[in-house]
Amino acid sequence: MEFPRLPTRDTSGQKVVLPDDLEGEQTLVLISFDRRQQSLVGSWRGFAKELCETYGHFEYYELLVLGGRSGMMPPMSGGGMSPEAARSRTHDNALIARVDKTALQRRLGLLGEGNIYALLIEDGTVVRQAAGVLTPETGDALEDLLKQWREANSGWTDASPAGSPTGDNALDS
């Protein structure tokens, strides 16, 4: 499923349009619908940071979705998040969106706002999703997907000339 075009703001007030402005060839977006869900999002944060360090093609974002009647964000005094939100969400990858929560949940196939959701996005497409806190099984599955992607896109090609025997190259085994 395609991730819908979603205008957000980062902690410094800069406009970030999802999925267009996402960094990373594989990107994890952690979606919460209430500031009180930050402890649930926190269960993913340390693991996601480790994955960013291990896999250069991977990034993650934390998206707080607040209700609103339109897809437009109202201006805020500091140009970005409200002061209380900015204080509680100090990382650079925190985003906030004011949109119709129900419409967004419907578009993404999410089962309400009582839980958080982790979506793995590639080229604007949601390729995997999970609900709730990070579990060992979910973490292992995510890391396996990142490894598979890295191996499939490593850029290694067969450099031996056509017709030459294999086995005499140090990389052959």
Side-chain angles (χ1 to χ4, degrees):
M1 111 183 61
E2 293 296 313
F3 192 94
R5 199 161 186 280
L6 182 66
T8 70
R9 297 273 178 188
D10 66 14
T11 55
S12 64
Q14 296 299 308
K15 184 177 180 179
V16 178
V17 178
L18 305 183
D20 303 346
D21 296 336
L22 292 177
E23 294 182 15
E25 296 171 86
Q26 286 186 306
T27 307
L28 184 68
V29 177
L30 303 170
I31 300 176
S32 62
F33 295 95
D34 189 300
R35 286 186 178 92
R36 293 173 291 193
Q37 294 174 319
Q38 290 310 297
S39 62
L40 301 175
V41 172
S43 73
W44 286 85
R45 189 175 299 127
F47 182 65
K49 287 179 181 179
E50 287 177 24
L51 292 176
C52 286
E53 292 172 9
T54 303
Y55 300 95
H57 70 278
F58 175 79
E59 287 294 331
Y60 90 99
Y61 294 86
E62 297 177 22
L63 174 62
L64 175 60
V65 179
L66 300 176
R69 278 178 246 145
S70 73
M72 297 183 65
M73 298 260 316
M76 298 199 182
S77 60
M81 298 178 132
S82 66
E84 65 274 4
R87 278 192 297 276
S88 67
R89 301 171 58 82
T90 56
H91 15 100
D92 294 333
N93 56 352
L95 304 171
I96 191 167
R98 291 190 184 274
V99 297
D100 181 334
K101 290 181 183 183
T102 304
L104 180 64
Q105 291 164 13
R106 204 174 308 124
R107 289 278 312 266
L108 293 173
L110 307 179
L111 301 175
E113 57 188 77
N115 214 339
I116 65 165
Y117 300 90
L119 281 62
L120 183 63
I121 300 171
E122 295 176 10
D123 296 323
T125 301
V126 178
V127 295
R128 295 284 193 282
Q129 71 180 46
V133 297
L134 177 66
T135 64
E137 296 81 14
T138 305
D140 290 345
L142 176 58
E143 190 157 15
D144 286 345
L145 287 169
L146 299 180
K147 285 178 188 175
Q148 290 169 12
W149 190 96
R150 182 174 62 186
E151 289 169 6
N153 294 283
S154 66
W156 287 96
T157 59
D158 184 2
S160 54
S164 72
T166 58
D168 56 355
N169 186 319
L171 294 177
D172 290 341
S173 53

